[in-house]
Amino acid sequence: MNTVSLGSVRQWHWVSSAICLAGLLLFAITGFTLNHAASIESAATTVTVELEIPAPQLEALEQLLAQHATTPTPPDWPPALANWVQQQTSERIQRQQLEAAQWSASELYISLPRPGGDAWLVLDADMGELLYERTHRGAVAYLNDLHKGRNTGAAWSLFIDFIALACVVFAITGLWLLIRQQRQRPTTWAITTLGLLIPLLIVLLHRL
């Protein structure tokens, strides 16, 4: 019975370690880079686009703004305007981005945050202009934002939860294996206790 139980725990341990390996490495490395963010230089690159809106797209924009003025929810994004914006900026505007946009009688401002950077788009019906700016702060900033789940979307948020759960299983099954094998490894509890005390002492000293 004990052998079966131990084998089951071992199985959970190695399966959870395999599942969380890539995620654990990512979060460990980005934990280091976040802790030293001030000393890690990253050169930001910015792309700016300023264009005149063609007449058909301008008409679609004016209709969009007029529709928004008469309805409490954002109207559908006109396909002709959406396609033109995507061609000029490589941005595919989503429904939720329109819902979060800032609207006025003559202007539409859309914030387009993303991991490792930021972007925004303005469509001005009075001036007949598109203004767009995209900033990318580098690979380290991108990975740091993945660590924090900043502007990463629902799928990545679920991935973080999944990796966190796998790490909990990995830690608990590892502890259980240590308990079962403590007789063969007399330093088990000394090292385990040290691993618990070090962060606790640091926190307590920090509060003094």
Side-chain angles (χ1 to χ4, degrees):
M1 185 71 176
N2 289 340
T3 303
V4 173
S5 176
L6 185 59
S8 177
V9 171
R10 280 177 176 161
Q11 195 168 37
W12 276 98
H13 187 65
W14 75 258
V15 169
S16 61
S17 69
I19 289 173
C20 70
L21 174 61
L24 193 57
L25 282 172
L26 170 66
F27 291 116
I29 293 170
T30 51
F32 179 86
T33 57
L34 278 169
N35 197 40
H36 297 275
S39 58
I40 299 176
E41 296 183 2
S42 58
T45 58
T46 301
V47 174
T48 303
V49 176
E50 185 173 351
L51 293 171
E52 181 180 345
I53 303 175
Q57 283 74 27
L58 181 58
E59 183 180 353
L61 173 62
E62 291 171 343
Q63 292 176 356
L64 179 70
L65 294 170
Q67 290 174 15
H68 181 266
T70 60
T71 179
T73 58
D76 292 333
W77 187 242
L81 182 59
N83 293 335
W84 181 77
V85 168
Q86 185 173 0
Q87 289 171 5
Q88 307 306 320
T89 66
S90 300
E91 296 285 354
R92 185 175 181 181
I93 307 302
Q94 305 294 329
R95 178 71 185 181
Q96 61 268 27
Q97 292 168 327
L98 270 184
E99 292 174 353
Q102 297 178 24
W103 299 74
S104 73
S106 61
E107 186 178 278
L108 173 59
Y109 174 88
I110 305 174
S111 180
L112 302 165
R114 72 275 320 277
D118 201 3
W120 55 266
L121 169 71
V122 173
L123 294 168
D124 190 323
D126 281 348
M127 301 295 293
E129 288 184 341
L130 173 148
L131 300 175
Y132 170 75
E133 185 174 284
R134 180 177 68 246
T135 301
H136 181 60
R137 300 191 305 273
V140 173
Y142 177 80
L143 293 174
N144 286 347
D145 281 350
L146 290 184
H147 182 106
K148 295 181 288 186
R150 177 180 178 270
N151 302 320
T152 52
W156 185 259
S157 179
L158 288 174
F159 174 76
I160 292 176
D161 291 342
F162 181 72
I163 292 298
L165 180 60
C167 287
V168 169
V169 173
F170 178 60
I172 291 175
T173 54
L175 180 61
W176 178 251
L177 290 174
L178 287 175
I179 294 172
R180 296 299 300 269
Q181 298 179 17
Q182 59 182 316
R183 291 183 180 178
Q184 289 78 23
R185 295 180 173 84
T187 59
T188 292
W189 291 119
I191 297 174
T192 303
T193 303
L194 188 64
L196 292 171
L197 286 178
I198 288 176
L200 180 60
L201 287 173
I202 292 173
V203 171
L204 291 175
L205 289 173
H206 181 69
R207 291 174 62 89
L208 294 178

